[in-house]
């Protein structure tokens, strides 16, 4: 089992920035990659970005490429999401997740999930 706890959400004005963090504990060595997702009211959960634990390779959805940056610190078992140029449509609950299977690291089929952190972008 891997436990994930997100932090850093909040209220920000459009054009602003936020940095989300995710602390992992438990069997973190089993994780192939970590990812960030979000879910807005009435919408399905959306994949945003992922990063491999081994070499730091990253993958982004087109909706956030160039605005969001994912990073990791294996020594601290943390993964972060730097979000710049935020828009009102970025308002959602943001989730951190972990996947053990290399075939699923660029999909939405992750194994462990955090409880989420709310991000609200005002216009």
């Amino acid at each position: 089992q891997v436990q994930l706890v997100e932090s850093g959400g909040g209220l920000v004005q459009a054009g602003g920035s936020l940095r989300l963090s995710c602390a992992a504990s438990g069997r973190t060595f089993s994780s192939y990659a970590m990812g960030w997702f979000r879910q807005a009211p009435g919408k399905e959960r959306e994949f945003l970005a992922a990063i491999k634990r081994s070499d730091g390779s990253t993958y982004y959805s087109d909706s956030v490429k160039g605005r969001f940056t994912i990073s990791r610190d294996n020594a601290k078992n943390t993964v972060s999401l730097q979000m710049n140029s935020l828009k009102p449509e970025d308002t959602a609950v943001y989730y951190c997740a972990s996947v053990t299977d290399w075939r699923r690291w660029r999909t939405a089929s992750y194994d462990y999930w955090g409880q989420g952190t709310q991000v609200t972008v005002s216009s």
Side-chain angles (χ1 to χ4, degrees):
Q1 291 277 351
V2 176
Q3 293 77 44
L4 303 168
V5 179
E6 303 95 337
S7 61
L11 175 64
V12 63
Q13 288 190 333
S17 298
L18 272 178
R19 185 176 181 87
L20 304 182
S21 293
C22 174
S25 60
R27 296 173 61 87
T28 56
F29 59 86
S30 68
S31 173
Y32 179 82
M34 302 289 291
W36 283 97
F37 298 76
R38 69 186 178 191
Q39 187 166 21
K43 295 188 177 181
E44 296 201 354
R45 188 173 293 180
E46 176 189 11
F47 169 89
L48 300 177
I51 186 165
K52 288 185 184 178
R53 178 180 174 84
S54 58
D55 63 5
S57 297
T58 58
Y59 179 70
Y60 295 91
S61 70
D62 289 342
S63 64
V64 303
K65 194 177 298 181
R67 295 193 300 128
F68 292 9
T69 303
I70 189 170
S71 60
R72 91 245 192 270
D73 184 332
N74 287 348
K76 296 181 179 179
N77 286 323
T78 59
V79 63
S80 298
L81 186 69
Q82 177 66 40
M83 306 187 294
N84 298 328
S85 302
L86 284 164
K87 308 172 184 179
E89 51 264 43
D90 291 319
T91 295
V93 177
Y94 283 68
Y95 297 90
C96 169
S98 171
V99 66
T100 58
D101 188 338
W102 66 271
R103 292 167 292 186
R104 291 185 278 116
W105 82 284
R106 296 196 292 182
T107 74
S109 297
Y110 275 47
D111 300 300
Y112 302 102
W113 295 84
Q115 81 290 351
T117 186
Q118 177 71 45
V119 171
T120 303
V121 184
S122 63
S123 57

